[in-house]
Amino acid sequence: MTDSSNFLVAEAQLVLEHARRAKAERTKDLGSPIQLAGIALALHVHDGYAWIAENTHVAKKIDLETGKTVKVYRGHAGPVTCLVLCDKVIGSGNRRILITGSWDETIKLWDADTTKLISSTKSHSDFVKALYVFPSLRLLVSSSSDKSVRFWDLSNPLASTPLPAVGSISSHTRPVECLDGVLQSDQAAVLYTADTMGTIKVWDLTLENGPSPRWRSTLRTELGHHRTKINEMMIGHGQLWTASADETVQVVPETSKPTTVKLPKPITHPVSARAVLPLSLTVVAEPYLVTGAGDVLRTYDISDLDDPTLLGEVDAHWHDVTCIRLWIRKASEPWVVTASLDGTLRKWKLSELIDPSTLPKPAEDPPGIPKGPDALTEEEERELAELMDD
């Protein structure tokens, strides 16, 4: 960079930090924030606890009522990027084993109750990006920045030895960011793999029995309705929901080809859409959609997929929202938990997101913080961030 470019970047950095400081002050009490030691790169909510994969090289279990960390899982040598729970006893539903993936290229299994490390598997040649479990098939699927998808046998999750490899996929040309799946039978499933190019591949998985059982993958179809990176993907009730860096959230029929099916219009956002929660796919079973783009949560009525209605916007965090998860609180009340690059988890009543006027008013800017025409818009903030990345 030239001296003038360095000056512009430095000035942009100061303006951006100033604006974020202002927003941090305004939003400091919104959503009853739980302050983390680092940043949650992945989030799973189960039985009143938030399980987070943190950039501080650990995974944690956090009580959502008290905000206290009750378990810490230490052993990775890099940021923990993804996690999933599975059963100690297959089919029991007890979810007493935590599985984590990391920049250190390993998958680790932990006793969720004692935090004891059960096993570690050198799984990929680059960062582990996503994990998905088919519980009844005893199958773990992992994906990576090395562009591959790999299959692991979970028949004996308490074994201290590395997980047995039982198949792989190597047809993506970019890092594989997201995984999801649909069970077909006790020997078959459909797997969805999405990459940073915006390509989604749909695979038929079939168990090949024998002395050394393997999972065979056959490409069913390829979806290309996004222009770039898929940040999140969720499947259920015949629908495939995706959030993308192309600034859209989209829904398509589960395994249909976009060229032969009329698709609903994309739900556009002003910046990259990083997180999506279709409540229709959850136990709530209501026609609402919550999205995270930049630091804003948006809630839509999706009763008519061809004409979704924006119900409300909440300036929820002072940095990008990375995860949105459902939390069924006491008395079966639906809440939403969000994670952000601002280093917090925040908790929201679903009713508050549907009607943000019921939320407490944000605090006023403290003295000395620019307001009005001097404050950055969301688009200006994004442009400054891109400038500083150059």
Side-chain angles (χ1 to χ4, degrees):
M1 281 188 180
T2 64
D3 288 344
S4 60
S5 295
N6 284 328
F7 176 77
L8 287 172
V9 169
E11 188 176 34
Q13 177 75 59
L14 287 173
V15 173
L16 183 57
E17 288 178 358
H18 202 55
R20 283 183 172 158
R21 250 193 341 267
K23 189 167 186 184
E25 183 64 26
R26 289 198 309 273
T27 62
K28 64 182 180 182
D29 297 321
L30 285 180
S32 304
I34 299 171
Q35 187 64 52
L36 306 175
I39 294 170
L41 302 180
L43 169 66
H44 179 78
V45 174
H46 177 65
D47 279 352
Y49 295 97
W51 303 77
I52 64 168
E54 206 170 77
N55 68 332
T56 57
H57 303 193
V58 302
K60 293 178 180 175
K61 179 182 179 182
I62 297 172
D63 187 320
L64 284 170
E65 293 289 353
T66 66
K68 294 187 180 300
T69 299
V70 295
K71 303 285 183 185
V72 180
Y73 305 85
R74 294 185 174 90
H76 280 291
V80 184
T81 52
C82 48
L83 51 74
V84 67
L85 294 169
C86 78
D87 299 340
K88 266 188 184 177
V89 179
I90 301 298
S92 65
N94 61 14
R95 300 193 185 184
R96 289 294 183 263
I97 290 180
L98 174 67
I99 308 175
T100 56
S102 167
W103 280 20
D104 66 13
E105 304 171 5
T106 70
I107 294 171
K108 297 186 187 297
L109 274 63
W110 315 80
D111 186 305
D113 297 319
T114 67
T115 73
K116 178 185 176 183
L117 178 63
I118 298 171
S119 68
S120 182
T121 303
K122 177 68 167 68
S123 55
H124 289 273
S125 61
D126 207 333
F127 304 158
V128 181
K129 300 290 285 183
L131 297 169
Y132 186 81
V133 171
F134 291 99
S136 63
L137 301 182
R138 305 177 186 183
L139 176 64
L140 170 67
V141 184
S142 64
S143 69
S144 168
S145 292
D146 68 10
K147 309 171 189 174
S148 74
V149 175
R150 296 187 178 174
F151 307 143
W152 310 94
D153 183 8
L154 282 179
S155 296
N156 188 6
L158 296 177
S160 60
T161 52
L163 294 171
V166 288
S168 65
I169 297 170
S170 57
S171 72
H172 279 278
T173 60
R174 293 293 187 274
V176 184
E177 194 76 15
C178 308
L179 301 169
D180 209 336
V182 178
L183 182 68
Q184 298 289 292
S185 71
D186 60 359
Q187 293 195 343
V190 177
L191 176 69
Y192 294 74
T193 60
D195 65 27
T196 58
M197 189 75 128
T199 299
I200 301 171
K201 294 178 184 283
V202 186
W203 307 88
D204 288 308
L205 303 185
T206 308
L207 180 61
E208 295 181 333
N209 290 304
S212 300
R214 303 276 295 177
W215 284 91
R216 178 168 54 86
S217 55
T218 304
L219 183 64
R220 176 187 289 195
T221 190
E222 187 172 306
L223 308 177
H225 51 286
H226 282 290
R227 298 191 311 274
T228 188
K229 180 182 177 183
I230 309 293
N231 287 314
E232 187 158 39
M233 176 169 62
M234 290 190 177
I235 295 167
H237 302 301
Q239 296 177 342
L240 168 64
W241 286 91
T242 46
S244 170
D246 68 9
E247 303 178 1
T248 70
V249 167
Q250 299 197 45
V251 59
V252 300
E254 212 171 80
T255 58
S256 299
K257 296 181 180 180
T259 53
T260 60
V261 177
K262 183 181 180 297
L263 302 180
K265 291 180 181 178
I267 301 173
T268 58
H269 293 70
V271 293
S272 171
R274 295 187 66 151
V276 60
L277 177 62
L279 274 303
S280 57
L281 306 192
T282 71
V283 295
V284 174
E286 295 285 348
Y288 299 117
L289 172 73
V290 185
T291 67
D295 44 24
V296 176
L297 293 176
R298 293 175 175 84
T299 306
Y300 299 85
D301 183 329
I302 53 170
S303 300
D304 181 355
L305 288 176
D306 289 318
D307 188 23
T309 302
L310 178 63
L311 300 175
E313 296 184 354
V314 177
D315 230 7
H317 290 265
W318 59 262
H319 210 315
D320 289 2
V321 176
T322 55
C323 303
I324 307 172
R325 298 292 181 261
L326 176 66
W327 172 30
I328 301 299
R329 204 168 184 178
K330 294 174 181 176
S332 300
E333 187 177 22
W335 283 61
V336 169
V337 181
T338 56
S340 165
L341 295 180
D342 68 11
T344 66
L345 300 181
R346 302 194 187 216
K347 301 168 285 185
W348 316 88
K349 287 183 181 179
L350 178 58
S351 59
E352 293 174 337
L353 298 181
I354 292 171
D355 180 9
S357 66
T358 60
L359 282 166
K361 297 297 182 185
E364 293 294 323
D365 286 331
I369 298 294
K371 295 190 271 189
D374 295 324
L376 286 179
T377 66
E378 188 173 333
E379 185 176 356
E380 288 169 339
E381 184 174 314
R382 185 68 49 179
E383 288 174 355
L384 287 173
E386 290 173 356
L387 175 61
M388 289 183 293
D389 287 339
D390 287 342

